Coordinates of all heavy atoms in Angstrom, one line a residue:
M1 N 159.9 82.3 163.6 CA 159.7 81.1 162.8 C 158.3 80.7 162.9 O 157.7 80.4 161.9 CB 160.7 80.0 163.2 CG 160.6 78.8 162.4 SD 161.3 79.0 160.7 CE 161.2 77.4 160.2
F2 N 157.8 80.5 164.1 CA 156.4 80.1 164.3 C 155.4 81.0 163.7 O 154.4 80.6 163.1 CB 156.1 79.9 165.8 CG 154.7 79.5 166.1 CD1 154.3 78.2 165.8 CD2 153.8 80.4 166.6 CE1 153.0 77.8 166.1 CE2 152.5 80.0 166.9 CZ 152.1 78.7 166.6
I3 N 155.7 82.3 163.8 CA 154.7 83.3 163.2 C 154.7 83.2 161.7 O 153.6 83.2 161.1 CB 155.2 84.7 163.6 CG1 155.0 84.9 165.2 CG2 154.4 85.8 162.9 CD1 155.5 86.2 165.7
R4 N 155.8 83.0 161.1 CA 155.8 82.8 159.6 C 155.1 81.6 159.2 O 154.3 81.6 158.2 CB 157.3 82.8 159.1 CG 157.9 84.1 159.1 CD 159.3 84.0 158.5 NE 160.0 85.2 158.7 CZ 161.3 85.4 158.4 NH1 162.0 84.4 158.0 NH2 161.9 86.6 158.6
A5 N 155.3 80.5 159.9 CA 154.6 79.2 159.6 C 153.1 79.4 159.8 O 152.3 78.9 159.0 CB 155.2 78.1 160.4
S6 N 152.7 80.0 160.8 CA 151.3 80.2 161.1 C 150.7 81.1 160.0 O 149.6 80.8 159.5 CB 151.1 80.9 162.4 OG 151.6 80.1 163.5
A7 N 151.4 82.1 159.6 CA 150.9 83.0 158.5 C 150.7 82.3 157.2 O 149.7 82.4 156.5 CB 151.8 84.2 158.4
L8 N 151.7 81.4 156.9 CA 151.6 80.6 155.7 C 150.5 79.7 155.7 O 149.7 79.5 154.8 CB 152.9 79.9 155.5 CG 153.0 79.0 154.2 CD1 152.8 79.8 153.0 CD2 154.3 78.2 154.2
L9 N 150.3 79.0 156.9 CA 149.2 78.0 157.0 C 147.9 78.7 156.9 O 147.0 78.2 156.2 CB 149.3 77.3 158.3 CG 148.2 76.3 158.6 CD1 148.2 75.2 157.6 CD2 148.4 75.7 160.0
L10 N 147.7 79.9 157.5 CA 146.5 80.6 157.5 C 146.2 81.1 156.0 O 145.0 81.0 155.6 CB 146.5 81.9 158.4 CG 145.3 82.7 158.5 CD1 144.1 81.8 159.1 CD2 145.5 83.8 159.5
S11 N 147.2 81.5 155.3 CA 147.0 81.9 153.9 C 146.5 80.7 153.0 O 145.6 80.8 152.2 CB 148.3 82.5 153.3 OG 148.6 83.6 154.0
V12 N 147.2 79.6 153.2 CA 146.8 78.4 152.5 C 145.4 78.0 152.8 O 144.6 77.6 151.9 CB 147.8 77.2 152.7 CG1 147.3 75.9 152.2 CG2 149.1 77.6 152.2
L13 N 145.0 78.0 154.0 CA 143.6 77.6 154.4 C 142.6 78.6 153.8 O 141.5 78.2 153.3 CB 143.5 77.6 155.9 CG 144.1 76.4 156.6 CD1 144.0 76.5 158.1 CD2 143.5 75.1 156.2
A14 N 142.9 79.9 153.9 CA 142.0 80.9 153.3 C 141.8 80.7 151.8 O 140.7 80.7 151.3 CB 142.5 82.3 153.6
L15 N 142.9 80.4 151.1 CA 142.8 80.2 149.6 C 142.0 78.9 149.3 O 141.2 78.9 148.4 CB 144.2 80.2 149.0 CG 144.9 81.6 148.9 CD1 146.3 81.4 148.4 CD2 144.1 82.5 148.1
S16 N 142.3 77.9 150.1 CA 141.6 76.6 149.8 C 140.1 76.7 150.1 O 139.3 76.2 149.4 CB 142.2 75.5 150.5 OG 142.1 75.6 151.9
S17 N 139.7 77.5 151.1 CA 138.3 77.7 151.4 C 137.7 78.5 150.3 O 136.5 78.1 149.9 CB 138.2 78.5 152.7 OG 138.7 77.7 153.8
F18 N 138.3 79.5 149.8 CA 137.8 80.2 148.7 C 137.6 79.4 147.4 O 136.6 79.4 146.8 CB 138.7 81.4 148.3 CG 138.2 82.3 147.2 CD1 137.1 83.1 147.4 CD2 138.8 82.3 146.0 CE1 136.6 83.9 146.4 CE2 138.3 83.1 145.0 CZ 137.3 83.9 145.2
A19 N 138.6 78.5 147.1 CA 138.5 77.7 146.0 C 137.3 76.7 146.1 O 136.6 76.4 145.2 CB 139.8 76.9 145.7
I20 N 137.1 76.1 147.3 CA 136.0 75.2 147.5 C 134.7 75.8 147.4 O 133.8 75.4 146.8 CB 136.2 74.5 148.9 CG1 137.4 73.6 148.9 CG2 134.9 73.7 149.3 CD1 137.8 73.1 150.3
A21 N 134.5 77.0 148.0 CA 133.3 77.7 148.0 C 132.9 78.2 146.6 O 131.7 78.2 146.2 CB 133.3 78.9 148.9
G22 N 133.8 78.6 145.8 CA 133.5 79.2 144.5 C 133.9 78.4 143.3 O 133.8 78.8 142.2
G23 N 134.3 77.2 143.5 CA 134.7 76.3 142.4 C 136.0 76.9 141.8 O 137.1 76.6 142.2
E24 N 135.9 77.7 140.7 CA 137.0 78.3 140.1 C 137.3 79.7 140.5 O 137.8 80.5 139.8 CB 136.9 78.2 138.6 CG 136.9 76.8 138.1 CD 136.7 76.7 136.5 OE1 136.6 77.8 135.9 OE2 136.8 75.6 136.0
G25 N 136.8 80.1 141.7 CA 137.0 81.4 142.3 C 135.8 82.3 142.3 O 135.7 83.1 143.1
T26 N 134.9 82.1 141.3 CA 133.7 82.9 141.3 C 132.5 81.9 141.1 O 132.5 81.1 140.2 CB 133.7 83.8 140.1 OG1 134.9 84.6 140.2 CG2 132.5 84.7 140.1
P27 N 131.5 82.1 142.0 CA 130.3 81.2 141.8 C 129.6 81.5 140.5 O 129.8 82.6 139.9 CB 129.4 81.7 142.9 CG 130.2 82.6 143.8 CD 131.3 83.0 143.1
S28 N 128.9 80.5 140.0 CA 128.1 80.7 138.7 C 126.8 80.0 138.8 O 126.6 79.1 139.7 CB 128.9 80.3 137.5 OG 128.6 78.9 137.2
C29 N 125.9 80.3 137.9 CA 124.6 79.7 137.9 C 124.4 78.8 136.7 O 123.3 78.3 136.4 CB 123.5 80.8 137.9 SG 123.3 81.6 139.5
N30 N 125.5 78.5 136.0 CA 125.4 77.5 134.9 C 124.2 77.8 133.9 O 123.4 76.9 133.6 CB 125.3 76.1 135.4 CG 126.6 75.7 136.1 OD1 127.7 76.2 135.8 ND2 126.5 74.9 137.1
G31 N 124.1 79.0 133.5 CA 123.1 79.4 132.5 C 121.8 79.9 133.1 O 121.0 80.5 132.4
A32 N 121.5 79.7 134.4 CA 120.4 80.3 135.1 C 120.7 81.8 135.4 O 121.8 82.2 135.3 CB 120.0 79.5 136.3
S33 N 119.7 82.5 135.9 CA 119.9 83.9 136.2 C 120.1 84.1 137.7 O 119.3 83.7 138.5 CB 118.6 84.6 135.8 OG 118.7 86.0 136.1
P34 N 121.2 84.7 138.1 CA 121.5 85.0 139.5 C 120.5 86.1 140.0 O 120.4 87.1 139.3 CB 122.9 85.4 139.5 CG 123.4 85.5 138.2 CD 122.4 85.1 137.2
Q35 N 119.9 85.9 141.1 CA 118.9 86.8 141.6 C 119.2 87.0 143.1 O 119.6 86.1 143.8 CB 117.5 86.3 141.5 CG 117.1 86.1 140.0 CD 116.8 87.4 139.3 OE1 116.1 88.2 139.8 NE2 117.5 87.5 138.2
C36 N 118.9 88.2 143.6 CA 118.9 88.5 145.0 C 117.5 88.6 145.4 O 116.8 89.6 145.0 CB 119.7 89.8 145.3 SG 119.6 90.3 147.1
C37 N 117.0 87.7 146.2 CA 115.6 87.6 146.5 C 115.4 87.8 148.0 O 116.1 87.2 148.9 CB 115.0 86.3 146.1 SG 115.1 85.9 144.4
Q38 N 114.4 88.7 148.4 CA 114.2 89.0 149.8 C 113.4 87.9 150.5 O 113.5 87.7 151.7 CB 113.4 90.3 149.9 CG 114.2 91.5 149.3 CD 115.5 91.7 150.0 OE1 115.7 91.7 151.2 NE2 116.6 91.8 149.1
K39 N 112.6 87.1 149.8 CA 111.8 86.0 150.3 C 111.9 84.8 149.4 O 112.0 84.9 148.2 CB 110.3 86.4 150.5 CG 110.1 87.6 151.4 CD 108.7 88.0 151.5 CE 108.5 89.2 152.3 NZ 107.1 89.7 152.3
T40 N 111.9 83.6 150.0 CA 111.8 82.4 149.3 C 110.7 81.5 149.8 O 110.4 81.6 151.0 CB 113.1 81.6 149.4 OG1 113.4 81.3 150.7 CG2 114.3 82.4 148.7
Y41 N 110.1 80.8 148.9 CA 109.0 79.9 149.2 C 109.2 78.5 148.5 O 109.8 78.5 147.5 CB 107.6 80.5 148.7 CG 107.3 81.9 149.3 CD1 107.7 83.0 148.5 CD2 106.7 82.0 150.5 CE1 107.4 84.3 149.0 CE2 106.4 83.3 151.0 CZ 106.8 84.4 150.3 OH 106.5 85.6 150.8
Q42 N 108.5 77.5 149.1 CA 108.5 76.2 148.4 C 107.6 76.3 147.2 O 106.7 77.1 147.2 CB 107.9 75.1 149.4 CG 108.8 74.8 150.5 CD 110.2 74.3 150.1 OE1 110.3 73.5 149.2 NE2 111.2 74.8 150.7
A43 N 108.0 75.6 146.1 CA 107.3 75.7 144.9 C 106.0 74.8 145.0 O 106.1 73.6 144.9 CB 108.1 75.3 143.7
N44 N 104.9 75.4 145.4 CA 103.6 74.6 145.4 C 102.5 75.6 144.9 O 102.7 76.8 144.7 CB 103.3 74.1 146.8 CG 103.2 75.1 147.9 OD1 102.5 76.2 147.6 ND2 103.8 74.9 149.0
Q45 N 101.4 75.0 144.6 CA 100.3 75.7 144.0 C 99.8 76.9 144.8 O 99.5 78.0 144.3 CB 99.1 74.8 143.6 CG 99.4 73.9 142.4 CD 99.6 74.7 141.1 OE1 100.4 75.7 141.1 NE2 98.9 74.3 140.1
Q46 N 99.7 76.6 146.1 CA 99.2 77.7 147.0 C 100.1 78.9 147.0 O 99.6 80.1 146.9 CB 99.1 77.2 148.5 CG 98.6 78.2 149.5 CD 98.5 77.7 150.9 OE1 98.8 76.5 151.1 NE2 98.1 78.5 151.8
N47 N 101.4 78.7 147.1 CA 102.3 79.8 147.0 C 102.3 80.5 145.7 O 102.4 81.7 145.5 CB 103.8 79.4 147.4 CG 103.9 79.0 148.9 OD1 103.2 79.5 149.7 ND2 104.9 78.2 149.2
A48 N 102.2 79.7 144.6 CA 102.2 80.2 143.3 C 101.0 81.1 143.1 O 101.1 82.2 142.5 CB 102.2 79.1 142.2
Q49 N 99.8 80.7 143.6 CA 98.6 81.5 143.4 C 98.7 82.8 144.2 O 98.3 83.9 143.7 CB 97.4 80.7 143.9 CG 97.0 79.7 143.0 CD 95.8 78.8 143.5 OE1 95.5 78.8 144.7 NE2 95.2 78.0 142.6
Q50 N 99.3 82.8 145.4 CA 99.5 84.0 146.2 C 100.4 85.0 145.6 O 100.2 86.2 145.7 CB 100.0 83.6 147.6 CG 99.0 82.9 148.5 CD 99.5 82.5 149.8 OE1 100.8 82.5 150.1 NE2 98.7 82.2 150.8
L51 N 101.4 84.5 144.8 CA 102.3 85.4 144.1 C 101.9 85.7 142.7 O 102.6 86.4 142.0 CB 103.7 84.7 144.2 CG 104.3 84.6 145.5 CD1 105.5 83.7 145.5 CD2 104.6 85.9 146.1
G52 N 100.8 85.2 142.3 CA 100.3 85.6 140.9 C 100.9 84.8 139.8 O 100.9 85.3 138.7
I53 N 101.5 83.7 140.1 CA 102.1 82.8 139.0 C 101.0 82.0 138.4 O 100.3 81.2 139.0 CB 103.2 81.9 139.6 CG1 104.3 82.8 140.2 CG2 103.8 81.0 138.5 CD1 105.3 82.0 140.9
S54 N 100.8 82.2 137.1 CA 99.8 81.5 136.4 C 100.3 80.4 135.5 O 99.6 79.5 134.9 CB 98.9 82.4 135.5 OG 99.7 83.1 134.6
E55 N 101.6 80.3 135.3 CA 102.2 79.3 134.4 C 102.7 78.1 135.2 O 102.7 78.2 136.5 CB 103.4 79.9 133.6 CG 104.4 80.6 134.5 CD 105.3 81.5 133.6 OE1 106.3 80.9 133.2 OE2 105.0 82.7 133.4
P56 N 102.9 77.0 134.6 CA 103.3 75.8 135.3 C 104.5 76.0 136.2 O 105.5 76.7 135.8 CB 103.6 74.8 134.2 CG 102.9 75.3 133.0 CD 102.9 76.8 133.1
L57 N 104.5 75.4 137.4 CA 105.6 75.5 138.3 C 106.9 74.8 137.8 O 106.7 73.8 137.1 CB 105.2 75.0 139.7 CG 104.3 75.8 140.5 CD1 103.9 75.1 141.8 CD2 104.9 77.2 140.8
Q58 N 108.0 75.3 138.2 CA 109.3 74.6 137.9 C 109.8 74.1 139.2 O 109.5 74.6 140.3 CB 110.2 75.6 137.2 CG 109.7 76.0 135.9 CD 110.7 77.0 135.2 OE1 111.8 77.2 135.7 NE2 110.3 77.5 134.1
A59 N 110.7 73.1 139.1 CA 111.3 72.5 140.3 C 112.2 73.6 141.0 O 112.7 74.5 140.4 CB 112.2 71.3 139.9
G60 N 112.3 73.4 142.3 CA 113.1 74.4 143.1 C 112.3 75.3 143.9 O 111.1 74.9 144.2
Q61 N 112.8 76.4 144.3 CA 112.1 77.4 145.1 C 111.5 78.5 144.3 O 111.9 78.7 143.1 CB 113.0 77.9 146.2 CG 113.5 76.9 147.1 CD 114.6 77.5 148.1 OE1 115.2 78.5 147.8 NE2 114.7 77.0 149.3
I62 N 110.6 79.2 144.9 CA 110.1 80.5 144.3 C 110.7 81.6 145.1 O 110.7 81.6 146.3 CB 108.5 80.6 144.4 CG1 107.9 79.4 143.7 CG2 108.0 81.9 143.9 CD1 106.4 79.3 143.9
G63 N 111.3 82.6 144.4 CA 111.8 83.8 145.0 C 110.9 84.9 144.8 O 110.3 85.1 143.7
D64 N 110.8 85.8 145.8 CA 109.9 87.0 145.7 C 110.8 88.2 146.0 O 111.7 88.1 146.8 CB 108.8 86.9 146.7 CG 107.7 88.0 146.5 OD1 107.7 88.6 145.5 OD2 107.0 88.2 147.5
Q65 N 110.4 89.3 145.5 CA 111.1 90.6 145.6 C 112.6 90.4 145.2 O 113.5 90.7 145.9 CB 111.0 91.1 147.0 CG 109.6 91.4 147.5 CD 109.5 91.8 148.9 OE1 110.5 92.1 149.6 NE2 108.3 91.8 149.5
C66 N 112.7 89.9 144.0 CA 114.0 89.6 143.4 C 114.5 90.7 142.5 O 113.8 91.3 141.8 CB 114.0 88.3 142.6 SG 113.4 86.8 143.6
T67 N 115.8 90.9 142.5 CA 116.5 91.8 141.6 C 117.7 91.0 141.0 O 118.2 90.1 141.6 CB 117.0 93.1 142.3 OG1 117.8 92.7 143.4 CG2 115.8 93.9 142.8
S68 N 118.1 91.5 139.9 CA 119.2 90.8 139.2 C 120.5 91.0 140.1 O 120.7 92.0 140.7 CB 119.5 91.5 137.8 OG 120.6 91.0 137.2
Y69 N 121.3 89.9 140.1 CA 122.5 89.9 140.9 C 123.7 89.6 140.0 O 123.6 88.7 139.2 CB 122.4 88.9 142.0 CG 123.6 88.9 142.9 CD1 123.6 89.7 144.0 CD2 124.6 88.0 142.7 CE1 124.7 89.6 144.9 CE2 125.7 87.9 143.6 CZ 125.7 88.8 144.7 OH 126.8 88.7 145.5
T70 N 124.8 90.2 140.1 CA 126.0 89.9 139.4 C 127.1 89.5 140.4 O 127.4 90.2 141.4 CB 126.5 91.1 138.6 OG1 125.5 91.5 137.7 CG2 127.8 90.8 137.9
F71 N 127.6 88.3 140.3 CA 128.7 87.8 141.2 C 129.8 88.8 141.2 O 130.2 89.3 140.1 CB 129.1 86.4 140.9 CG 128.0 85.4 141.1 CD1 127.5 84.8 140.0 CD2 127.5 85.1 142.3 CE1 126.4 83.9 140.1 CE2 126.5 84.2 142.5 CZ 126.0 83.6 141.4
G72 N 130.4 89.1 142.3 CA 131.4 90.1 142.4 C 130.9 91.5 142.8 O 131.6 92.4 143.1
G73 N 129.6 91.6 142.9 CA 129.0 92.8 143.5 C 128.7 93.9 142.6 O 128.3 95.0 143.0
I74 N 128.7 93.7 141.2 CA 128.4 94.8 140.3 C 127.4 94.3 139.3 O 127.6 93.2 138.8 CB 129.7 95.3 139.6 CG1 130.7 95.8 140.6 CG2 129.4 96.4 138.6 CD1 132.1 96.0 140.1
P75 N 126.4 94.9 138.9 CA 125.9 96.3 139.3 C 124.9 96.2 140.5 O 125.0 97.1 141.3 CB 125.2 96.8 138.0 CG 124.7 95.6 137.4 CD 125.7 94.5 137.7
N76 N 123.9 95.3 140.5 CA 122.9 95.4 141.5 C 123.2 94.5 142.7 O 122.4 94.4 143.6 CB 121.5 95.0 140.9 CG 121.0 96.0 140.0 OD1 121.4 97.2 140.1 ND2 120.1 95.6 139.1
G77 N 124.3 93.8 142.7 CA 124.6 92.8 143.7 C 125.5 93.3 144.8 O 126.1 92.5 145.5
A78 N 125.8 94.6 144.8 CA 126.8 95.1 145.8 C 126.5 94.6 147.2 O 127.4 94.2 147.9 CB 126.9 96.6 145.7
N79 N 125.3 94.7 147.6 CA 125.0 94.2 149.0 C 123.6 93.5 148.9 O 122.6 94.2 149.1 CB 124.9 95.4 149.9 CG 126.2 96.0 150.2 OD1 127.2 95.3 150.5 ND2 126.3 97.4 150.0
C80 N 123.6 92.2 148.7 CA 122.4 91.5 148.7 C 122.1 91.1 150.2 O 122.8 90.4 150.8 CB 122.5 90.2 147.9 SG 121.0 89.2 148.0
D81 N 121.0 91.7 150.7 CA 120.6 91.4 152.1 C 119.6 90.4 152.2 O 119.0 90.1 153.2 CB 120.2 92.7 152.8 CG 119.0 93.4 152.2 OD1 118.6 93.0 151.1 OD2 118.5 94.4 152.8
G82 N 119.3 89.7 151.0 CA 118.4 88.6 151.0 C 119.2 87.3 150.7 O 120.3 87.1 151.2
S83 N 118.6 86.5 149.9 CA 119.2 85.2 149.5 C 119.7 85.3 148.0 O 118.9 85.7 147.2 CB 118.3 84.0 149.6 OG 117.9 83.9 151.0
V84 N 120.9 84.9 147.7 CA 121.4 84.9 146.3 C 121.0 83.5 145.8 O 121.4 82.5 146.3 CB 122.9 85.1 146.2 CG1 123.3 85.0 144.8 CG2 123.2 86.5 146.8
L85 N 120.2 83.5 144.7 CA 119.7 82.3 144.2 C 119.9 82.2 142.7 O 120.0 83.3 142.0 CB 118.1 82.2 144.4 CG 117.6 82.3 145.8 CD1 116.1 82.4 145.8 CD2 118.0 81.1 146.6
C86 N 120.0 81.0 142.1 CA 120.1 80.8 140.7 C 118.7 80.4 140.2 O 118.2 79.4 140.7 CB 121.1 79.8 140.3 SG 122.8 80.2 140.8
C87 N 118.1 81.2 139.4 CA 116.7 81.0 139.0 C 116.6 80.8 137.5 O 117.1 81.5 136.7 CB 115.8 82.2 139.4 SG 115.9 82.5 141.2
S88 N 115.8 79.8 137.1 CA 115.6 79.4 135.7 C 114.6 80.3 135.0 O 114.6 80.5 133.8 CB 115.3 78.0 135.5 OG 114.1 77.7 136.2
K89 N 113.7 80.9 135.7 CA 112.6 81.8 135.1 C 112.5 83.0 136.0 O 112.2 82.9 137.2 CB 111.3 81.0 135.0 CG 110.2 81.8 134.4 CD 110.1 81.4 132.9 CE 108.9 82.2 132.4 NZ 108.6 81.9 131.0
T90 N 112.6 84.2 135.4 CA 112.4 85.5 136.2 C 111.3 86.3 135.6 O 110.9 86.1 134.5 CB 113.8 86.3 136.2 OG1 114.1 86.6 134.9 CG2 114.9 85.4 136.9
G91 N 110.9 87.3 136.4 CA 109.9 88.3 135.8 C 108.5 87.8 135.8 O 107.8 88.2 134.9
V92 N 108.2 86.8 136.7 CA 106.8 86.3 136.7 C 106.1 86.8 137.9 O 106.6 87.5 138.7 CB 106.9 84.7 136.7 CG1 107.5 84.2 135.4 CG2 107.6 84.2 137.9
G93 N 104.8 86.5 137.9 CA 104.0 86.9 139.1 C 103.4 88.3 138.9 O 103.5 89.0 137.9
N94 N 102.7 88.7 140.0 CA 101.9 90.0 140.1 C 102.8 91.2 139.8 O 102.4 92.1 139.2 CB 101.2 90.1 141.4 CG 100.1 89.1 141.5 OD1 99.5 88.7 140.6 ND2 99.8 88.8 142.8
N95 N 104.0 91.2 140.4 CA 104.8 92.4 140.3 C 106.1 92.3 139.5 O 106.9 93.1 139.5 CB 105.2 92.9 141.8 CG 106.0 91.8 142.5 OD1 106.5 90.9 141.9 ND2 106.2 92.0 143.8
S96 N 106.2 91.2 138.8 CA 107.4 90.9 137.9 C 108.7 90.8 138.7 O 109.7 90.8 138.1 CB 107.5 91.9 136.8 OG 106.4 91.8 135.9
Q97 N 108.6 90.7 140.0 CA 109.8 90.5 140.8 C 109.8 89.2 141.4 O 110.5 88.9 142.4 CB 109.9 91.6 141.9 CG 110.2 93.0 141.4 CD 110.4 94.0 142.5 OE1 109.7 93.9 143.6 NE2 111.3 94.9 142.3
V98 N 109.1 88.2 140.8 CA 109.0 86.9 141.3 C 109.8 86.0 140.3 O 109.8 86.2 139.1 CB 107.6 86.4 141.3 CG1 107.5 84.9 141.7 CG2 106.8 87.3 142.3
A99 N 110.6 85.1 140.8 CA 111.4 84.1 140.0 C 111.0 82.7 140.5 O 110.7 82.5 141.6 CB 112.9 84.4 140.2
M100 N 111.1 81.8 139.6 CA 110.9 80.4 140.0 C 112.0 79.5 139.4 O 112.8 79.9 138.5 CB 109.5 79.9 139.6 CG 109.1 80.0 138.1 SD 107.4 79.4 138.0 CE 107.2 79.6 136.2
G101 N 112.0 78.2 139.8 CA 113.0 77.3 139.5 C 114.3 77.7 140.1 O 115.4 77.6 139.5
C102 N 114.2 78.2 141.4 CA 115.4 78.8 142.0 C 116.1 77.8 142.9 O 115.4 77.0 143.6 CB 115.0 80.0 142.9 SG 114.3 81.4 141.9
M103 N 117.4 77.8 143.0 CA 118.2 77.0 143.8 C 119.3 77.9 144.5 O 119.7 78.8 143.8 CB 118.9 75.9 143.0 CG 118.0 75.0 142.3 SD 117.0 74.0 143.4 CE 118.1 72.7 143.7
P104 N 119.7 77.6 145.7 CA 120.8 78.4 146.3 C 122.0 78.3 145.5 O 122.3 77.3 144.9 CB 120.9 77.7 147.7 CG 119.7 77.0 148.0 CD 119.1 76.6 146.6
V105 N 122.8 79.3 145.5 CA 124.1 79.3 144.8 C 125.0 78.2 145.3 O 125.0 77.9 146.5 CB 124.9 80.7 145.0 CG1 126.3 80.6 144.4 CG2 124.1 81.8 144.3
G106 N 125.6 77.5 144.4 CA 126.5 76.4 144.8 C 125.8 75.0 144.6 O 126.4 74.0 144.5
I107 N 124.5 75.0 144.4 CA 123.7 73.8 144.1 C 123.5 73.8 142.6 O 122.9 74.7 142.1 CB 122.5 73.6 144.9 CG1 122.8 73.6 146.4 CG2 121.7 72.4 144.4 CD1 121.6 73.5 147.3
Q108 N 123.9 72.8 141.9 CA 123.7 72.7 140.4 C 122.2 72.7 140.1 O 121.4 72.0 140.7 CB 124.4 71.5 139.8 CG 125.9 71.5 140.1 CD 126.6 72.6 139.5 OE1 126.3 73.0 138.3 NE2 127.5 73.2 140.2
I109 N 121.9 73.4 139.0 CA 120.5 73.4 138.5 C 120.4 72.4 137.4 O 121.2 72.3 136.6 CB 120.1 74.8 138.0 CG1 120.1 75.8 139.2 CG2 118.8 74.8 137.3 CD1 119.7 77.2 138.8

């Protein structure tokens, strides 16, 4: 009896944690572009110049060495070993792998 109750409680806790973390089960960027970025920087002029950004800065962080990410792991997001960010502008900077206006997943943009 105790084992069944424990298993049920554990299942309920796991499902509620998933629902809290993902909202409706899957994270989303609300119109921004999900990116897997290897480095993140504060959005300031010094960092923008070092990364070759010549356009006006946007609020949030700057992501570097970013690739497109799809929640659920397909196609390029199978194993993001960096930070998954929601970015409002991608393909900027010296190497076109810089994104700006980035926020961590789960924080509304």
